[in-house]
Amino acid sequence: MKFDKFFALAKEAGISESQIQISKSSSLTIKLFHHEIDNYQVNSSQSVVACGIYNGKFGSARTEKLDKDTFQFLIDEIKKSASFIEEETVSELFKGSEKYHKKNVFNKALASVPTERKIAILHEIEDKAYAADPRIKEVTEAMYSESVGESYFYNSHGLKLSQKSNYYYFLLGVAAKSGEETKTGYELFLDCDFDKFNPDELVKKAVKTALDKFGGTQCKAGKYPTVLHSDIMSALLSYFLNACSSDEVQRKSSFLIDKIGQKVASSKLTIEERPLEKNIYFSYFDAEGVATQNKFVVKKGVLQTYFYNLETAKKAGVESTGNAAWAGSKIGISFENIFVKPGKQSFEELIAPIKEGVYITEIAGLGTGMNARSGDFSCQADGFMIRDGKIAEPLNLITLSGNLLKMLQDLKGFSNRVDLKPSGTTVADAYIKKMSIGGK
């Protein structure tokens, strides 16, 4: 479709500047249940978002259609939404960055893997899970999913940007039974290179996760040296990173207000945003057409920057950091491809000095248990005791609570084992000096 027509119609309608973005996605999902294909879905979707300046005011529109009537619909909606704005908010749209760091991250080989091979591997995973241990009574999840995403950006200043990426994952869930106890275990493998997948490793990890939970109990309530599994650390860090949003700072709802250049965490914490890292989360431009950049968010415990879009950057008198993202009909802030510098010790070396502590492997209820303004949190947790530097008996029905900033200030180090998470964060297991554990 020729988008020059959209810009011409917009100008005729009195929209001085305009931009249009098209996002397309397609996916394949295959699920097994009791050795049969239980679900086979092929989906595709698209989203068209346009915005412009009308009478000095910013207006936007969104649709899922892209046909002969789409352009006129978007123009009418831009004018309508701009008319609701009482004050002039945006003087102009972004014309373009001086340089963009384009990379090809689309894996053609993944797209050519036969569906029959994917189904065969799913059957292999399911069979191996049942055979792994007699206590495995059910394979609750055996799923393969792959996705292709495309993004196109055009504006009336002649800027044209596009990118395409793809990825896949295998997910295995098992249920084990011993006596009256039933425990579950899950494992996911995510990548864009199909040849990297190892079915045996996926099965081994999922089964071990379930079996290790048998005999769980509560520990005595108190403050313990605590090691957080990388999944838990990723979840907690997402709230810290949200507090780095300049929008949250400017609305006075962040616990990081006026903290730039200050030590907010242990010197063991270094966080980078790497949107230009060549992996499945690569993105070289944001929702406003600003070139993204790799940057330190926290360096050796010192807060280096907030995340800015054009509007919040203008208010602060700084440059946009390329973190604009659509949030409904408004351009907000986002971050992706977060990398937390790991330690040099193995997991075994990390926990070796702990005489009596707790290793948290699962949490629940963090969404309701976290106060995003203060960083205080409390949630249900499962895990293991650490005794004399070794993983000991399993724990369940305990609670983990604390304050996010205090936790990061008490960070003693990370292990060296890192994985890219579905959240887009690469982080290792973290050792915290002491955290409050609720138990018996």
Side-chain angles (χ1 to χ4, degrees):
M1 184 172 282
K2 294 183 178 180
F3 292 95
D4 289 343
K5 182 181 178 182
F6 169 75
F7 300 123
L9 288 172
K11 192 170 184 180
E12 288 176 13
I15 299 174
S16 57
E17 301 172 60
S18 54
Q19 72 182 40
I20 187 168
Q21 294 167 256
I22 301 93
S23 298
K24 298 181 179 181
S25 66
S26 58
S27 64
L28 166 67
T29 302
I30 307 167
K31 294 182 180 180
L32 295 188
F33 186 67
H34 290 176
H35 311 289
E36 300 290 339
I37 295 177
D38 181 58
N39 187 290
Y40 186 103
Q41 288 187 347
V42 178
N43 294 314
S44 62
S45 64
Q46 68 178 6
S47 173
V48 184
V49 183
C51 61
I53 307 301
Y54 180 67
N55 292 336
K57 299 173 184 178
F58 179 84
S60 64
R62 181 186 294 269
T63 183
E64 294 181 357
K65 292 182 179 180
L66 192 55
D67 56 26
K68 61 182 180 65
D69 300 318
T70 297
F71 290 166
Q72 192 59 55
F73 168 80
L74 292 172
I75 289 165
D76 292 342
E77 290 298 307
I78 290 172
K79 293 173 66 177
K80 187 186 297 183
S81 68
S83 68
F84 293 134
I85 304 296
E86 294 182 0
E87 298 178 2
E88 185 173 320
T89 54
V90 180
S91 58
E92 61 182 15
L93 297 181
F94 186 66
K95 293 180 173 61
S97 296
E98 289 186 10
K99 186 176 182 180
Y100 291 92
H101 301 275
K102 301 180 182 180
K103 291 178 184 176
N104 178 22
V105 295
F106 182 76
N107 190 335
K108 291 182 180 179
L110 173 59
S112 66
V113 176
T115 302
E116 293 76 15
R117 184 181 173 195
K118 300 162 189 173
I119 294 173
I121 292 176
L122 271 180
H123 282 291
E124 179 186 353
I125 291 168
E126 188 182 41
D127 291 341
K128 286 183 174 180
Y130 278 117
D133 191 282
R135 290 170 289 178
I136 300 298
K137 302 301 182 184
E138 188 80 72
V139 173
T140 57
E141 292 275 2
M143 182 170 75
Y144 172 83
S145 182
E146 69 180 47
S147 181
V148 177
E150 301 173 65
S151 180
Y152 303 89
F153 180 104
Y154 307 91
N155 71 18
S156 55
H157 299 295
L159 186 61
K160 298 179 180 180
L161 306 168
S162 65
Q163 58 188 19
K164 185 177 182 180
S165 62
N166 58 346
Y167 67 88
Y168 75 96
Y169 67 82
F170 280 99
L171 172 66
L172 174 64
V174 298
K177 188 169 183 178
S178 178
E180 297 300 314
E181 284 190 277
T182 299
K183 300 296 180 182
T184 58
Y186 292 86
E187 188 63 31
L188 180 143
F189 180 86
L190 170 72
D191 209 283
C192 64
D193 184 345
F194 201 83
D195 292 334
K196 287 184 179 180
F197 178 64
N198 185 327
D200 292 327
E201 280 297 310
L202 186 80
V203 172
K204 181 182 177 181
K205 289 179 180 179
V207 169
K208 186 177 188 304
T209 300
L211 299 183
D212 284 350
K213 294 178 182 178
F214 285 124
T217 184
Q218 290 181 311
C219 60
K220 184 179 178 181
K223 291 192 174 183
Y224 293 87
T226 302
V227 177
L228 302 175
H229 187 278
S230 57
D231 289 342
I232 313 305
M233 197 60 184
S234 174
L236 289 167
L237 279 176
S238 69
Y239 290 92
F240 175 84
L241 292 165
N242 283 331
C244 294
S245 164
S246 56
D247 189 40
E248 295 296 319
V249 171
Q250 291 172 3
R251 289 193 289 122
K252 307 296 184 185
S253 57
S254 167
F255 51 77
L256 292 173
I257 296 170
D258 297 328
K259 297 291 187 183
I260 297 295
Q262 293 187 26
K263 197 166 176 37
V264 297
S266 160
S267 58
K268 298 291 185 180
L269 183 67
T270 293
I271 304 174
E272 295 176 72
E273 188 197 29
R274 296 181 176 179
L276 301 177
E277 186 87 2
K278 194 172 181 180
N279 62 26
I280 64 175
Y281 295 107
F282 170 83
S283 180
Y284 75 91
F285 61 91
D286 72 359
E288 294 175 313
V290 177
T292 60
Q293 54 185 290
N294 293 343
K295 52 189 170 287
F296 285 101
V297 182
V298 175
K299 188 173 184 180
K300 294 183 177 179
V302 178
L303 185 64
Q304 303 292 308
T305 186
Y306 298 131
F307 299 121
Y308 291 96
N309 60 20
L310 289 172
E311 181 183 1
T312 61
K314 186 176 180 181
K315 287 180 182 177
V318 299
E319 296 292 321
S320 170
T321 55
N323 289 95
W326 282 100
S329 60
K330 181 180 180 294
I331 291 181
I333 304 282
S334 76
F335 51 86
E336 54 192 335
N337 240 346
I338 297 296
F339 179 83
V340 182
K341 185 179 179 180
K344 296 180 180 179
Q345 297 177 303
S346 67
F347 178 76
E348 291 73 21
E349 290 170 332
L350 184 73
I351 68 172
I354 301 174
K355 183 174 178 59
E356 183 180 57
V358 172
Y359 177 39
I360 302 294
T361 56
E362 295 183 28
I363 56 174
L366 186 60
T368 55
M370 171 68 75
N371 184 324
R373 286 176 177 265
S374 67
D376 293 332
F377 65 90
S378 180
C379 57
Q380 186 174 317
D382 292 343
F384 299 86
M385 286 300 297
I386 301 172
R387 297 190 189 281
D388 297 322
K390 304 287 185 182
I391 296 297
E393 71 270 20
L395 299 172
N396 59 25
L397 299 177
I398 59 174
T399 58
L400 173 73
S401 58
N403 175 272
L404 198 51
L405 276 180
K406 180 66 166 60
M407 183 194 84
L408 294 178
Q409 288 161 1
D410 288 343
L411 174 69
K412 296 195 71 172
F414 291 97
S415 74
N416 60 7
R417 62 181 192 186
V418 294
D419 294 301
L420 180 62
K421 305 295 179 184
S423 63
T425 297
T426 300
V427 63
D429 302 300
Y431 175 15
I432 312 299
K433 184 179 178 180
K434 277 190 179 181
M435 295 191 73
S436 293
I437 304 296
K440 58 187 178 183

